[in-house]
Amino acid sequence: KYTVTSSVTFTAQWQESDEDGDNGDEEWENPYADVTANQWFYAAVQYVSENKLMNGVAENAFGPDIHTTRGMLVTILHRMEGEPQAGEHSFADVAEDKYYADAVAWAAENDIVNGYSGTVFAPEKAMSREEMAVALYRYAQYKGCDVSAGEDANILSYADAFTVSEYAVSALQWACGAGIISGTGDGSTLTPQGEATRAQAAVMLQQFCEQYQ
């Protein structure tokens, strides 16, 4: 019970609400003509766009079927980490005015994505699916994340499991066990040597971030 002992004016304010009670979320305005809501990667492209992890290849194009280059991936991981500074790199094929220059230096310095030699990074080279799994695996380790999810994963159930490079076995076991990478086609193959498309990269990044970020 409340007693008002002097003249007081009470003002009530109401905020207009959606029927579901959600006031904060605005629907994503998809700028990409090559990404439609019925495609399997739509939600992932929305996620990486809204979280500023991946940009389009043009103002109105995401390029979902274009391969993901080494330069693209290290730039994405560098953004995820808050774009920390790193020392100078020694790669002759990475010009300092390239968008990926700082990211390459950071990735190599932290053993996330290394060069093919001390002077060759090959930033424009397409990444294979197993190479992307390895990069995400090393990034997870760099962040101190638990990567034990792959210890019980049996990638031998995939028809092409024996084409996985030896250095990538642990990474692919982890990626499969953590649900970051899944089978291709009818789900019976991993296609480890196949090029990782930008659509596939978006899906892997969304799965990674939702588990580890």
Side-chain angles (χ1 to χ4, degrees):
K1 182 178 179 179
Y2 299 89
T3 301
V4 178
T5 58
S6 60
S7 177
V8 179
T9 301
F10 293 94
T11 303
Q13 293 182 333
W14 286 266
Q15 183 174 3
E16 185 176 352
S17 173
D18 295 334
E19 290 182 0
D20 60 2
D22 184 4
N23 297 312
D25 294 334
E26 296 183 2
E27 185 176 352
W28 180 52
E29 294 184 6
N30 176 15
Y32 304 124
D34 54 359
V35 177
T36 57
N38 63 341
Q39 292 172 302
W40 57 269
F41 49 79
Y42 180 86
V45 172
Q46 177 179 352
Y47 180 89
V48 297
S49 297
E50 289 183 326
N51 287 281
K52 297 179 172 55
L53 300 181
M54 295 179 72
N55 300 317
V57 296
E59 185 175 343
N60 66 342
F62 183 78
D65 297 321
I66 296 174
H67 60 248
T68 306
T69 67
R70 286 163 57 81
M72 285 178 187
L73 183 63
V74 295
T75 299
I76 293 166
L77 297 180
H78 193 223
R79 286 175 184 158
M80 288 168 61
E81 194 59 22
E83 299 185 337
Q85 292 188 339
E88 295 183 1
H89 64 78
S90 59
F91 303 116
D93 58 352
V94 178
E96 290 305 315
D97 61 349
K98 291 293 186 180
Y99 74 88
Y100 47 67
D102 291 341
V104 167
W106 167 80
E109 182 178 284
N110 291 285
D111 197 31
I112 296 169
V113 180
N114 296 313
Y116 287 102
S117 71
T119 57
V120 177
F121 186 83
E124 304 295 344
K125 185 179 184 296
M127 292 200 85
S128 67
R129 284 166 54 83
E130 70 175 16
E131 286 174 330
M132 186 159 182
V134 169
L136 289 173
Y137 181 65
R138 290 178 178 171
Y139 178 59
Q141 291 177 314
Y142 163 80
K143 290 185 69 66
C145 299
D146 180 6
V147 293
S148 62
E151 292 177 356
D152 298 322
N154 180 20
I155 62 173
L156 294 178
S157 60
Y158 292 99
D160 56 355
F162 291 101
T163 66
V164 176
S165 300
E166 184 177 355
Y167 80 93
V169 170
S170 295
L172 274 172
Q173 286 180 317
W174 162 77
C176 289
I180 290 168
I181 195 170
S182 55
T184 54
D186 61 1
S188 64
T189 55
L190 276 175
T191 319
Q193 309 300 330
E195 293 180 352
T197 66
R198 283 171 52 84
Q200 291 173 343
V203 172
M204 293 184 207
L205 288 164
Q206 180 183 18
Q207 297 289 356
F208 180 93
C209 290
E210 289 181 345
Q211 291 205 45
Y212 293 105
Q213 292 291 83

